[in-house]
Amino acid sequence: QVQLVESGGGLVQTGDSLRLSCAASGRSFRLYTMGWFRQAPGKEREFVARISGSAGRTYYGDSVKDRFTISRDNAGNTVYLQMNSLKPEDTAVYYCAASLGYSPINLYDYNYWGQGTQFTVSS
């Protein structure tokens, strides 16, 4: 069992940077691939980024590539999402998720979810 708690949301302006955090409780954090998803009002939940457990291999959605960076601290059971050059279209609820699957990218590949953190990018 893994419990995930996101933090770091808020209100920022276009072009700003923001870092989200996701604290995980439970055992064997390094065994999980950690992912970030987002859901804007009226839209489906969208894959943002993932990072593998021990090797730290990363993969990004096309809409955030070159602007967002996912990282993790296995000793501290935390995963981060550094977001730069923010745009109004980045406004969403951001969710942290954990998966035991191989190269997970879909919602259904993830076993555990946080409650989400909202941030808004004003134009």
Side-chain angles (χ1 to χ4, degrees), residues 95-106:
Y95 296 90
C96 173
S99 172
L100 290 172
Y102 179 76
S103 299
I105 193 170
N106 297 310

Side-chain angles (χ1 to χ4, degrees), residues 2-88:
V2 176
Q3 294 182 327
L4 304 171
V5 179
E6 303 95 335
S7 61
L11 175 64
V12 299
Q13 295 186 336
T14 298
D16 282 353
S17 297
L18 188 70
R19 188 176 79 162
L20 302 181
S21 300
C22 173
S25 62
R27 296 182 176 180
S28 304
F29 175 71
R30 65 176 62 247
L31 295 181
Y32 291 87
T33 291
M34 300 301 296
W36 285 97
F37 287 75
R38 66 185 182 185
Q39 189 165 18
K43 295 189 176 181
E44 294 185 351
R45 198 168 295 190
E46 172 191 23
F47 171 79
V48 174
R50 71 165 185 250
I51 184 167
S52 65
S54 295
R57 289 185 298 269
T58 59
Y59 181 76
Y60 297 91
D62 289 340
S63 60
V64 306
K65 202 175 297 183
D66 299 326
R67 296 190 299 123
F68 290 12
T69 302
I70 188 171
S71 61
R72 66 189 295 159
D73 172 8
N74 285 338
N77 281 18
T78 303
V79 62
Y80 303 98
L81 185 67
Q82 177 67 43
M83 303 177 292
N84 299 326
S85 302
L86 285 166
K87 307 174 182 179

